[in-house]
Amino acid sequence: MKALGRHILAEIYGCDEEILDDKEYIEKTMVNSALKSGAEVREVAFHKFNPQGVSGVVIISESHLTIHTWPELGYAAVDVFTCGDTINPWDACNYLTEKFKAKNMTATEVKRGIFEQPVSVKVSNI
């Protein structure tokens, strides 16, 4: 069985609160995490919330990385989705955990697009 992609859902706890509320730092770190994993960055969009928190996405040729932070809780929710066999999404998650000065990270890997046999698609006009 071959998967089209790997999707890491990371829960990053015990992070430095100031880091998680710094839009520029989060953006730079997310881009660097993509590069560290071997991905090719295409587009970047981040938003700073009032009174706190940052959300953003890094679009990569191989798919995407996303984040939403809760600085007041020292928590970041991160998704790293990569397609193909050349990128290791765990490298990005581990890098983020280190750069956020996290005390703990738990994550689940989901294989996306698993096909056991060739797939045929029937299209009908409705």
Side-chain angles (χ1 to χ4, degrees):
M1 270 187 286
K2 180 162 174 69
L4 296 176
R6 300 167 67 190
H7 195 164
I8 308 295
L9 307 171
E11 308 285 318
I12 307 177
Y13 297 99
C15 302
D16 182 295
E17 292 179 27
E18 288 184 19
I19 286 174
L20 293 186
D21 204 33
D22 184 335
K23 177 182 168 267
E24 288 74 27
Y25 184 87
I26 294 291
E27 182 174 330
K28 177 182 172 188
T29 304
M30 288 288 288
V31 167
N32 285 339
S33 73
L35 296 172
K36 290 274 185 191
S37 72
E40 181 180 4
V41 174
R42 292 295 185 168
E43 294 185 43
V44 176
F46 282 78
H47 177 78
K48 170 79 169 77
F49 292 96
N50 186 12
Q52 57 200 4
V54 176
S55 285
V57 61
V58 177
I59 304 298
I60 58 177
S61 294
E62 301 80 8
S63 194
H64 68 269
L65 292 80
T66 63
I67 188 168
H68 186 75
T69 71
W70 284 262
E72 71 278 17
L73 301 175
Y75 169 72
V78 174
D79 289 5
V80 180
F81 184 14
T82 62
C83 298
D85 298 328
T86 59
I87 308 304
N88 185 350
W90 288 102
D91 290 343
C93 290
N94 291 330
Y95 179 82
L96 293 171
T97 301
E98 175 189 329
K99 293 300 182 181
F100 296 164
K101 299 182 181 175
K103 292 183 173 74
N104 189 28
M105 187 262 289
T106 60
T108 302
E109 179 173 341
V110 178
K111 304 288 187 201
R112 305 296 302 269
I114 296 175
F115 296 101
E116 293 185 41
Q117 55 188 339
V119 176
S120 63
V121 177
K122 182 178 180 182
V123 178
S124 64
N125 294 330
I126 299 175

